[in-house]
Amino acid sequence: MAPTRSADTSETEAGSTLGLPGLSGIEPTALATWLANRGEPTYRARQVADAVFGGTVESMADIVTLPGELRRALSAAFRFDTLIETELRIADEGLTEKALHRLADGALIESVLMHYPARRGARERHTLCISSQAGCAVGCPFCATGELGFGRDLQTAEIVDQVRSASRRLIAAGKRLTNIVFMGMGEPLLNLDRVLAAIEALNDPHRFGLGARHITVSTSGVVPGIRRLTALGPQFTLAVSLHAARDPLRDVLVPLNRRWPVAEVVTAAREHAAATGRRISYEVTMISGVNDTQVDADAMADLLRGDNAHVNLIPMNPVAHTPWVSSPMPVIERFAAILLEAGIQTTIRGNRGVDVGAACGQLAAERAGEPPAPAVARRRARLIAESAAALQGERSHEPAPVGVGD
Ligand code: SAH
Ligand code: SF4
């Protein structure tokens, strides 16, 4: 079988600038068929998977368990790694490693590895935050990725290879990856087929082998995607980026809210929790004077009271060209107290890697260059006006972002 027809033909169309398909995105049955068509014994599939996911082999040429001729055939058909180049920046005294990856077509994506030392009886954790798209169409104005706009969907292998890259670094240091969160660039539920295929590879004990409960997928509220997940009944955690419980404000902070308003998002999340028995995580990026008022805390408490939910309050990472900064800690604490009072589990999270631009998309945005100053000034003025109007309870009537369909 020709490799370009093997696993996911949509990823390997003729004329693609992305070159050969990445080996880590090939389904086991497709790989087994490819090997069988070459007359290889069945145990070769396991040897290839061990090399791809074992975390010690760097290239196809290094798979010493395979005969040279098969290594050459694999190299002619697949890429061992879809990340062409990775640049690392270290922050938080080594606790945060931000990686900027260049892909075959020049697209830049980011992943962030966060180390959490053992404490209070909890084991040490090594959590990787990965990207599902280059850029993002949703356009949340506090997010550096949103500012970049949409580039393209990542292939399955490009998602998995971010994990392999971090895992190789960890294994070399005698550690292993414990958690994966889809909280990097992009909206995972708008690239759901590839995200699900990647999770399958990461979860499969014969491939990466990380338990589903150690994987979190975060969405800005793509209701059809949440429903699709509910029907599948996955065991990974679903996180919903809520940011505001009132539609006028959420319209500004998450433009997708104009298509799927907050009540629909929370209903879909509730149904997901009921069907899977898994608690929903809600993320709230705390922006000073914008979504951190008493009114907002009360609205969120009313919205989530009685739900199987956990709210994470996250100080906003500074992002160039926004008029906004993080809420001060006492304000975040007051907000948390109101939610706790309503019986809603709430945690205040730290933000990692501020000094290396660890808010998703910041390094890629930096590379994209400065937009013209008048455009930045206009954008800031519009955001200030829109958020002020939203605080008065007025909804804007702009359409939902282009390219975000259902
Ligand atoms: N698109 C998905 C997943 C990627 S964004 C989503 O929006 O959920 C992952 C998380 O990073 C989201 O909760 C998002 O709100 C948060 N985020 C984006 N920019 C941020 C910033 N400047 N400061 C803090 N959190 C930010
Ligand atoms: Fe996209 Fe998430 Fe950033 Fe919003 S916060 S622009 S959905 S990546």
Side-chain angles (χ1 to χ4, degrees):
M1 189 202 312
T4 49
R5 300 277 173 274
S6 54
D8 179 349
T9 47
S10 64
E11 293 189 0
T12 56
E13 283 151 12
S16 158
T17 54
L18 297 172
L20 299 173
L23 200 45
S24 69
I26 306 296
E27 282 178 13
T29 47
L31 181 63
T33 307
W34 187 87
L35 288 164
N37 287 346
R38 292 186 48 84
E40 294 290 343
T42 51
Y43 63 81
R44 293 284 183 225
R46 173 58 77 87
Q47 288 177 319
V48 172
D50 286 351
V52 170
F53 291 99
T56 53
V57 175
E58 293 279 340
S59 71
M60 213 77 95
D62 294 337
I63 316 179
V64 290
T65 48
L66 301 181
E69 199 192 326
L70 178 56
R71 287 203 299 260
R72 282 187 290 279
L74 281 166
S75 298
F78 306 104
R79 277 179 302 156
F80 190 73
D81 200 340
T82 56
L83 311 178
I84 306 297
E85 207 173 67
T86 293
E87 180 189 315
L88 282 184
R89 285 199 203 172
I90 312 294
D92 302 325
E93 292 168 353
L95 291 179
T96 305
E97 298 172 32
K98 175 110 183 175
L100 180 68
H101 309 286
R102 191 166 57 78
L103 307 178
D105 62 344
L108 294 172
I109 57 160
E110 298 173 31
S111 65
V112 184
L113 179 58
M114 292 160 285
H115 307 284
Y116 298 92
R119 70 187 171 106
R120 286 204 302 263
R123 281 199 224 150
E124 68 173 23
R125 282 184 295 124
H126 305 282
T127 299
L128 183 70
C129 175
I130 57 174
S131 298
S132 56
Q133 298 179 314
C136 184
V138 178
C140 306
F142 54 86
C143 170
T145 307
E147 197 169 307
L148 280 174
F150 183 64
R152 66 170 173 86
D153 286 331
L154 296 191
Q155 302 174 327
T156 304
E158 289 168 334
I159 299 171
V160 174
D161 289 351
Q162 296 168 62
V163 177
R164 291 172 62 222
S165 167
S167 178
R168 272 200 296 269
R169 297 203 307 275
L170 281 166
I171 286 172
K175 302 175 190 311
R176 61 180 195 86
L177 194 63
T178 56
N179 298 80
I180 295 171
V181 296
F182 282 80
M183 292 189 181
M185 298 168 80
E187 169 48 60
L189 268 49
L190 291 177
N191 187 18
L192 193 48
D193 289 337
R194 274 87 174 267
V195 164
L196 287 173
I199 291 175
E200 214 172 292
L202 296 170
N203 196 207
D204 182 352
H206 299 299
R207 284 182 280 169
F208 192 72
L210 184 71
R213 284 167 182 262
H214 299 270
I215 299 174
T216 298
V217 175
S218 176
T219 179
S220 57
V222 180
V223 169
I226 298 174
R227 296 222 175 95
R228 205 179 136 197
L229 289 181
T230 305
L232 292 172
Q235 282 305 296
F236 55 75
T237 300
L238 182 67
V240 174
S241 294
L242 191 59
H243 308 311
R246 299 183 296 130
D247 280 322
L249 185 55
R250 199 167 186 275
D251 286 350
V252 177
L253 297 180
V254 188
L256 208 59
N257 195 68
R258 296 181 204 128
R259 170 159 252 156
W260 296 295
V262 69
E264 273 185 44
V265 173
V266 171
T267 301
R270 239 172 235 149
E271 287 165 3
H272 187 276
T276 60
R278 308 274 292 136
R279 192 176 66 176
I280 299 284
S281 277
Y282 287 103
E283 315 290 317
V284 181
T285 297
M286 300 297 290
I287 310 173
S288 186
V290 174
N291 64 348
D292 60 358
T293 65
Q294 162 107 33
V295 175
D296 284 297
D298 289 340
M300 203 168 285
D302 288 343
L303 183 68
L304 301 181
R305 195 176 273 112
D307 279 5
N308 183 16
H310 186 117
V311 177
N312 290 306
L313 303 179
I314 305 154
M316 182 189 152
N317 255 311
V319 167
H321 315 140
T322 75
W324 299 326
V325 294
S326 171
S327 311
M329 199 42 83
V331 173
I332 301 181
E333 282 164 359
R334 206 159 52 233
F335 199 100
I338 292 170
L339 296 181
L340 287 164
E341 180 82 2
I344 299 159
Q345 293 178 47
T346 305
T347 308
I348 299 173
R349 302 269 175 216
N351 48 7
R352 277 292 186 92
V354 174
D355 50 331
V356 284
C360 67
Q362 280 194 296
L363 290 184
E366 204 176 289
R367 289 297 158 88
E370 283 279 312
V376 173
R378 273 197 305 277
R379 182 169 179 275
R380 282 165 161 256
R382 180 175 56 78
L383 287 175
I384 291 168
E386 280 183 3
S387 56
L391 290 169
Q392 308 289 320
E394 295 164 25
R395 284 197 84 167
S396 98
H397 295 289
E398 275 179 52
V402 178
V404 177
D406 46 0

PDB file of all heavy atoms in Angstrom, residues 8-35:
ATOM      1  N   ASP A   8      -4.554   8.472   7.108  1.00  0.00           N
ATOM      2  CA  ASP A   8      -5.498   9.572   7.121  1.00  0.00           C
ATOM      3  C   ASP A   8      -5.255  10.336   5.838  1.00  0.00           C
ATOM      4  O   ASP A   8      -4.388  11.179   5.748  1.00  0.00           O
ATOM      5  CB  ASP A   8      -5.207  10.445   8.358  1.00  0.00           C
ATOM      6  CG  ASP A   8      -6.155  11.623   8.420  1.00  0.00           C
ATOM      7  OD1 ASP A   8      -6.856  11.868   7.426  1.00  0.00           O
ATOM      8  OD2 ASP A   8      -6.164  12.290   9.467  1.00  0.00           O
ATOM      9  N   THR A   9      -6.008   9.991   4.802  1.00  0.00           N
ATOM     10  CA  THR A   9      -5.716  10.545   3.490  1.00  0.00           C
ATOM     11  C   THR A   9      -5.849  12.056   3.492  1.00  0.00           C
ATOM     12  O   THR A   9      -5.178  12.732   2.732  1.00  0.00           O
ATOM     13  CB  THR A   9      -6.642   9.954   2.418  1.00  0.00           C
ATOM     14  OG1 THR A   9      -7.966  10.007   2.925  1.00  0.00           O
ATOM     15  CG2 THR A   9      -6.272   8.535   2.085  1.00  0.00           C
ATOM     16  N   SER A  10      -6.681  12.608   4.373  1.00  0.00           N
ATOM     17  CA  SER A  10      -6.844  14.057   4.386  1.00  0.00           C
ATOM     18  C   SER A  10      -5.541  14.747   4.782  1.00  0.00           C
ATOM     19  O   SER A  10      -5.345  15.915   4.517  1.00  0.00           O
ATOM     20  CB  SER A  10      -7.954  14.453   5.354  1.00  0.00           C
ATOM     21  OG  SER A  10      -7.581  14.098   6.658  1.00  0.00           O
ATOM     22  N   GLU A  11      -4.654  13.996   5.439  1.00  0.00           N
ATOM     23  CA  GLU A  11      -3.400  14.601   5.884  1.00  0.00           C
ATOM     24  C   GLU A  11      -2.309  14.477   4.845  1.00  0.00           C
ATOM     25  O   GLU A  11      -1.228  14.982   5.012  1.00  0.00           O
ATOM     26  CB  GLU A  11      -2.918  13.918   7.160  1.00  0.00           C
ATOM     27  CG  GLU A  11      -3.814  14.185   8.308  1.00  0.00           C
ATOM     28  CD  GLU A  11      -3.218  13.683   9.598  1.00  0.00           C
ATOM     29  OE1 GLU A  11      -2.121  13.127   9.599  1.00  0.00           O
ATOM     30  OE2 GLU A  11      -3.869  13.869  10.610  1.00  0.00           O
ATOM     31  N   THR A  12      -2.577  13.715   3.799  1.00  0.00           N
ATOM     32  CA  THR A  12      -1.475  13.369   2.909  1.00  0.00           C
ATOM     33  C   THR A  12      -1.835  13.606   1.455  1.00  0.00           C
ATOM     34  O   THR A  12      -1.333  12.936   0.580  1.00  0.00           O
ATOM     35  CB  THR A  12      -1.126  11.882   3.110  1.00  0.00           C
ATOM     36  OG1 THR A  12      -2.306  11.117   2.887  1.00  0.00           O
ATOM     37  CG2 THR A  12      -0.602  11.610   4.487  1.00  0.00           C
ATOM     38  N   GLU A  13      -2.724  14.576   1.214  1.00  0.00           N
ATOM     39  CA  GLU A  13      -3.145  14.815  -0.155  1.00  0.00           C
ATOM     40  C   GLU A  13      -1.962  15.214  -1.028  1.00  0.00           C
ATOM     41  O   GLU A  13      -1.051  15.892  -0.584  1.00  0.00           O
ATOM     42  CB  GLU A  13      -4.192  15.934  -0.180  1.00  0.00           C
ATOM     43  CG  GLU A  13      -5.547  15.434   0.267  1.00  0.00           C
ATOM     44  CD  GLU A  13      -6.361  16.525   0.911  1.00  0.00           C
ATOM     45  OE1 GLU A  13      -5.975  17.697   0.802  1.00  0.00           O
ATOM     46  OE2 GLU A  13      -7.379  16.177   1.527  1.00  0.00           O
ATOM     47  N   ALA A  14      -2.058  14.820  -2.309  1.00  0.00           N
ATOM     48  CA  ALA A  14      -1.014  15.193  -3.248  1.00  0.00           C
ATOM     49  C   ALA A  14      -0.904  16.717  -3.283  1.00  0.00           C
ATOM     50  O   ALA A  14      -1.890  17.424  -3.155  1.00  0.00           O
ATOM     51  CB  ALA A  14      -1.376  14.656  -4.619  1.00  0.00           C
ATOM     52  N   GLY A  15       0.309  17.206  -3.435  1.00  0.00           N
ATOM     53  CA  GLY A  15       0.490  18.654  -3.527  1.00  0.00           C
ATOM     54  C   GLY A  15       0.580  19.319  -2.176  1.00  0.00           C
ATOM     55  O   GLY A  15       0.806  20.517  -2.094  1.00  0.00           O
ATOM     56  N   SER A  16       0.416  18.556  -1.091  1.00  0.00           N
ATOM     57  CA  SER A  16       0.513  19.148   0.237  1.00  0.00           C
ATOM     58  C   SER A  16       1.929  19.667   0.455  1.00  0.00           C
ATOM     59  O   SER A  16       2.900  19.069   0.018  1.00  0.00           O
ATOM     60  CB  SER A  16       0.179  18.086   1.280  1.00  0.00           C
ATOM     61  OG  SER A  16       0.731  18.460   2.513  1.00  0.00           O
ATOM     62  N   THR A  17       2.048  20.805   1.152  1.00  0.00           N
ATOM     63  CA  THR A  17       3.378  21.326   1.452  1.00  0.00           C
ATOM     64  C   THR A  17       3.933  20.651   2.703  1.00  0.00           C
ATOM     65  O   THR A  17       5.002  20.983   3.167  1.00  0.00           O
ATOM     66  CB  THR A  17       3.319  22.839   1.723  1.00  0.00           C
ATOM     67  OG1 THR A  17       2.342  23.054   2.748  1.00  0.00           O
ATOM     68  CG2 THR A  17       2.975  23.624   0.491  1.00  0.00           C
ATOM     69  N   LEU A  18       3.170  19.729   3.252  1.00  0.00           N
ATOM     70  CA  LEU A  18       3.571  19.148   4.526  1.00  0.00           C
ATOM     71  C   LEU A  18       4.420  17.896   4.359  1.00  0.00           C
ATOM     72  O   LEU A  18       4.873  17.322   5.334  1.00  0.00           O
ATOM     73  CB  LEU A  18       2.331  18.844   5.368  1.00  0.00           C
ATOM     74  CG  LEU A  18       1.551  20.101   5.732  1.00  0.00           C
ATOM     75  CD1 LEU A  18       0.247  19.751   6.396  1.00  0.00           C
ATOM     76  CD2 LEU A  18       2.388  20.985   6.628  1.00  0.00           C
ATOM     77  N   GLY A  19       4.622  17.454   3.135  1.00  0.00           N
ATOM     78  CA  GLY A  19       5.513  16.332   2.893  1.00  0.00           C
ATOM     79  C   GLY A  19       4.923  15.010   3.332  1.00  0.00           C
ATOM     80  O   GLY A  19       3.711  14.828   3.362  1.00  0.00           O
ATOM     81  N   LEU A  20       5.803  14.083   3.704  1.00  0.00           N
ATOM     82  CA  LEU A  20       5.370  12.739   4.057  1.00  0.00           C
ATOM     83  C   LEU A  20       4.585  12.743   5.367  1.00  0.00           C
ATOM     84  O   LEU A  20       4.819  13.591   6.220  1.00  0.00           O
ATOM     85  CB  LEU A  20       6.605  11.842   4.231  1.00  0.00           C
ATOM     86  CG  LEU A  20       7.490  11.676   3.000  1.00  0.00           C
ATOM     87  CD1 LEU A  20       8.760  10.916   3.377  1.00  0.00           C
ATOM     88  CD2 LEU A  20       6.735  10.940   1.898  1.00  0.00           C
ATOM     89  N   PRO A  21       3.670  11.766   5.531  1.00  0.00           N
ATOM     90  CA  PRO A  21       2.931  11.714   6.792  1.00  0.00           C
ATOM     91  C   PRO A  21       3.833  11.373   7.972  1.00  0.00           C
ATOM     92  O   PRO A  21       4.813  10.644   7.832  1.00  0.00           O
ATOM     93  CB  PRO A  21       1.898  10.600   6.560  1.00  0.00           C
ATOM     94  CG  PRO A  21       2.391   9.826   5.402  1.00  0.00           C
ATOM     95  CD  PRO A  21       3.262  10.722   4.576  1.00  0.00           C
ATOM     96  N   GLY A  22       3.510  11.915   9.128  1.00  0.00           N
ATOM     97  CA  GLY A  22       4.272  11.618  10.337  1.00  0.00           C
ATOM     98  C   GLY A  22       3.917  10.224  10.844  1.00  0.00           C
ATOM     99  O   GLY A  22       2.739   9.862  10.919  1.00  0.00           O
ATOM    100  N   LEU A  23       4.930   9.464  11.199  1.00  0.00           N
ATOM    101  CA  LEU A  23       4.726   8.074  11.618  1.00  0.00           C
ATOM    102  C   LEU A  23       3.844   7.965  12.864  1.00  0.00           C
ATOM    103  O   LEU A  23       3.043   7.043  12.996  1.00  0.00           O
ATOM    104  CB  LEU A  23       6.104   7.459  11.882  1.00  0.00           C
ATOM    105  CG  LEU A  23       6.267   5.949  11.883  1.00  0.00           C
ATOM    106  CD1 LEU A  23       5.550   5.278  10.720  1.00  0.00           C
ATOM    107  CD2 LEU A  23       7.753   5.597  11.844  1.00  0.00           C
ATOM    108  N   SER A  24       3.955   8.934  13.765  1.00  0.00           N
ATOM    109  CA  SER A  24       3.199   8.833  15.024  1.00  0.00           C
ATOM    110  C   SER A  24       1.695   9.038  14.817  1.00  0.00           C
ATOM    111  O   SER A  24       0.906   8.767  15.720  1.00  0.00           O
ATOM    112  CB  SER A  24       3.710   9.860  16.038  1.00  0.00           C
ATOM    113  OG  SER A  24       3.367  11.159  15.603  1.00  0.00           O
ATOM    114  N   GLY A  25       1.299   9.511  13.625  1.00  0.00           N
ATOM    115  CA  GLY A  25      -0.130   9.726  13.362  1.00  0.00           C
ATOM    116  C   GLY A  25      -0.754   8.585  12.584  1.00  0.00           C
ATOM    117  O   GLY A  25      -1.942   8.622  12.274  1.00  0.00           O
ATOM    118  N   ILE A  26       0.044   7.578  12.255  1.00  0.00           N
ATOM    119  CA  ILE A  26      -0.469   6.443  11.475  1.00  0.00           C
ATOM    120  C   ILE A  26      -1.140   5.454  12.411  1.00  0.00           C
ATOM    121  O   ILE A  26      -0.558   5.056  13.426  1.00  0.00           O
ATOM    122  CB  ILE A  26       0.693   5.738  10.715  1.00  0.00           C
ATOM    123  CG1 ILE A  26       1.475   6.751   9.872  1.00  0.00           C
ATOM    124  CG2 ILE A  26       0.176   4.577   9.878  1.00  0.00           C
ATOM    125  CD1 ILE A  26       0.709   7.411   8.772  1.00  0.00           C
ATOM    126  N   GLU A  27      -2.349   5.068  12.043  1.00  0.00           N
ATOM    127  CA  GLU A  27      -3.059   4.101  12.903  1.00  0.00           C
ATOM    128  C   GLU A  27      -2.359   2.744  12.851  1.00  0.00           C
ATOM    129  O   GLU A  27      -1.850   2.345  11.804  1.00  0.00           O
ATOM    130  CB  GLU A  27      -4.494   3.942  12.414  1.00  0.00           C
ATOM    131  CG  GLU A  27      -5.366   5.088  12.833  1.00  0.00           C
ATOM    132  CD  GLU A  27      -6.769   4.926  12.304  1.00  0.00           C
ATOM    133  OE1 GLU A  27      -7.108   3.829  11.843  1.00  0.00           O
ATOM    134  OE2 GLU A  27      -7.494   5.925  12.364  1.00  0.00           O
ATOM    135  N   PRO A  28      -2.391   2.001  13.972  1.00  0.00           N
ATOM    136  CA  PRO A  28      -1.701   0.714  14.006  1.00  0.00           C
ATOM    137  C   PRO A  28      -2.128  -0.236  12.884  1.00  0.00           C
ATOM    138  O   PRO A  28      -1.283  -0.916  12.301  1.00  0.00           O
ATOM    139  CB  PRO A  28      -2.091   0.141  15.373  1.00  0.00           C
ATOM    140  CG  PRO A  28      -2.407   1.333  16.207  1.00  0.00           C
ATOM    141  CD  PRO A  28      -2.964   2.364  15.270  1.00  0.00           C
ATOM    142  N   THR A  29      -3.429  -0.255  12.570  1.00  0.00           N
ATOM    143  CA  THR A  29      -3.867  -1.193  11.515  1.00  0.00           C
ATOM    144  C   THR A  29      -3.277  -0.788  10.163  1.00  0.00           C
ATOM    145  O   THR A  29      -2.884  -1.648   9.368  1.00  0.00           O
ATOM    146  CB  THR A  29      -5.403  -1.224  11.401  1.00  0.00           C
ATOM    147  OG1 THR A  29      -5.863   0.132  11.381  1.00  0.00           O
ATOM    148  CG2 THR A  29      -6.052  -1.970  12.544  1.00  0.00           C
ATOM    149  N   ALA A  30      -3.202   0.526   9.915  1.00  0.00           N
ATOM    150  CA  ALA A  30      -2.649   1.001   8.641  1.00  0.00           C
ATOM    151  C   ALA A  30      -1.159   0.669   8.559  1.00  0.00           C
ATOM    152  O   ALA A  30      -0.656   0.254   7.512  1.00  0.00           O
ATOM    153  CB  ALA A  30      -2.869   2.498   8.501  1.00  0.00           C
ATOM    154  N   LEU A  31      -0.469   0.827   9.679  1.00  0.00           N
ATOM    155  CA  LEU A  31       0.963   0.514   9.691  1.00  0.00           C
ATOM    156  C   LEU A  31       1.179  -0.991   9.497  1.00  0.00           C
ATOM    157  O   LEU A  31       2.054  -1.416   8.740  1.00  0.00           O
ATOM    158  CB  LEU A  31       1.590   0.978  11.013  1.00  0.00           C
ATOM    159  CG  LEU A  31       3.083   0.726  11.146  1.00  0.00           C
ATOM    160  CD1 LEU A  31       3.878   1.509  10.089  1.00  0.00           C
ATOM    161  CD2 LEU A  31       3.568   1.095  12.544  1.00  0.00           C
ATOM    162  N   ALA A  32       0.335  -1.766  10.175  1.00  0.00           N
ATOM    163  CA  ALA A  32       0.448  -3.231  10.053  1.00  0.00           C
ATOM    164  C   ALA A  32       0.231  -3.653   8.595  1.00  0.00           C
ATOM    165  O   ALA A  32       0.958  -4.505   8.070  1.00  0.00           O
ATOM    166  CB  ALA A  32      -0.569  -3.914  10.970  1.00  0.00           C
ATOM    167  N   THR A  33      -0.736  -3.022   7.922  1.00  0.00           N
ATOM    168  CA  THR A  33      -1.006  -3.358   6.523  1.00  0.00           C
ATOM    169  C   THR A  33       0.195  -2.978   5.652  1.00  0.00           C
ATOM    170  O   THR A  33       0.619  -3.737   4.780  1.00  0.00           O
ATOM    171  CB  THR A  33      -2.270  -2.604   6.032  1.00  0.00           C
ATOM    172  OG1 THR A  33      -3.318  -2.864   6.943  1.00  0.00           O
ATOM    173  CG2 THR A  33      -2.666  -3.032   4.636  1.00  0.00           C
ATOM    174  N   TRP A  34       0.731  -1.784   5.916  1.00  0.00           N
ATOM    175  CA  TRP A  34       1.898  -1.319   5.144  1.00  0.00           C
ATOM    176  C   TRP A  34       3.054  -2.320   5.291  1.00  0.00           C
ATOM    177  O   TRP A  34       3.695  -2.695   4.315  1.00  0.00           O
ATOM    178  CB  TRP A  34       2.305   0.069   5.634  1.00  0.00           C
ATOM    179  CG  TRP A  34       3.383   0.729   4.819  1.00  0.00           C
ATOM    180  CD1 TRP A  34       3.226   1.499   3.706  1.00  0.00           C
ATOM    181  CD2 TRP A  34       4.795   0.660   5.070  1.00  0.00           C
ATOM    182  NE1 TRP A  34       4.441   1.916   3.240  1.00  0.00           N
ATOM    183  CE2 TRP A  34       5.434   1.418   4.053  1.00  0.00           C
ATOM    184  CE3 TRP A  34       5.590   0.034   6.040  1.00  0.00           C
ATOM    185  CZ2 TRP A  34       6.819   1.580   3.992  1.00  0.00           C
ATOM    186  CZ3 TRP A  34       6.980   0.187   5.975  1.00  0.00           C
ATOM    187  CH2 TRP A  34       7.577   0.951   4.965  1.00  0.00           C
ATOM    188  N   LEU A  35       3.286  -2.767   6.514  1.00  0.00           N
ATOM    189  CA  LEU A  35       4.385  -3.704   6.769  1.00  0.00           C
ATOM    190  C   LEU A  35       4.104  -5.063   6.115  1.00  0.00           C
ATOM    191  O   LEU A  35       4.986  -5.660   5.488  1.00  0.00           O
ATOM    192  CB  LEU A  35       4.595  -3.875   8.281  1.00  0.00           C
ATOM    193  CG  LEU A  35       5.219  -2.669   8.997  1.00  0.00           C
ATOM    194  CD1 LEU A  35       5.028  -2.767  10.509  1.00  0.00           C
ATOM    195  CD2 LEU A  35       6.712  -2.547   8.657  1.00  0.00           C
TER     196      LEU A  35
END
